[in-house]
Amino acid sequence: MTVVSDENSAEDAPAAASAAVDTFGSLDVVVDGAGFTRDARTRMTTEGGFDDVISVLLERAWLGTRAAAEELAFAGIRVNAIQPGIIRTEKVESLRPDVLEKKLSEIPLTLFSEPTEVAGVALFLASGISNYMTGTILEITGGPHA
């Protein structure tokens, strides 16, 4: 089941959870796929655009993951996050060849991640193999932060 919601709407998350419970009887795994970038050079990015990116990527993902993990651990609920790098999507594939080559040269593994690789990490986090993990942010970046 896929539920599309607005990451900036406080009402959308509870509605998505209710839809899952109504459909399946329980809610076992939530994958928040929020994330975006403003396609502009740093010098052309507005303060508002920068704030939007920071709000989604930092406040909701990083701070939200850690805080939620602490608050929900008593109930046996694990909260983790996936922080992907560049994923091979239609949008990425539509970039100019010189831009693709430059981005690829910045990644030590010299390849973009595939959507199935991100799905595999989500599956790992949803499985019993990761039962002792909570408050963790897993990077799938090909090594640019190494």
Side-chain angles (χ1 to χ4, degrees), residues 92-109:
V92 168
E93 292 291 333
S94 71
L95 295 172
R96 291 189 335 253
D98 62 312
V99 173
L100 281 172
E101 186 176 319
K102 181 178 183 324
K103 290 294 182 191
L104 206 54
S105 73
E106 296 170 358
I107 301 171
L109 288 178

Side-chain angles (χ1 to χ4, degrees), residues 46-64:
T46 65
E47 184 175 347
F50 180 77
D51 289 344
D52 290 345
V53 172
I54 293 301
S55 176
V56 170
L57 299 181
L58 178 62
E59 292 174 19
R60 288 187 178 85
W62 191 81
L63 297 176

Side-chain angles (χ1 to χ4, degrees), residues 32 61-62 65 79-84 121 125 135-139:
D32 179 353
W62 191 81
T65 297
V79 179
N80 296 292
I82 299 170
Q83 181 180 351
V121 173
L125 289 173
T136 301
I137 300 170
L138 298 175
E139 288 188 4

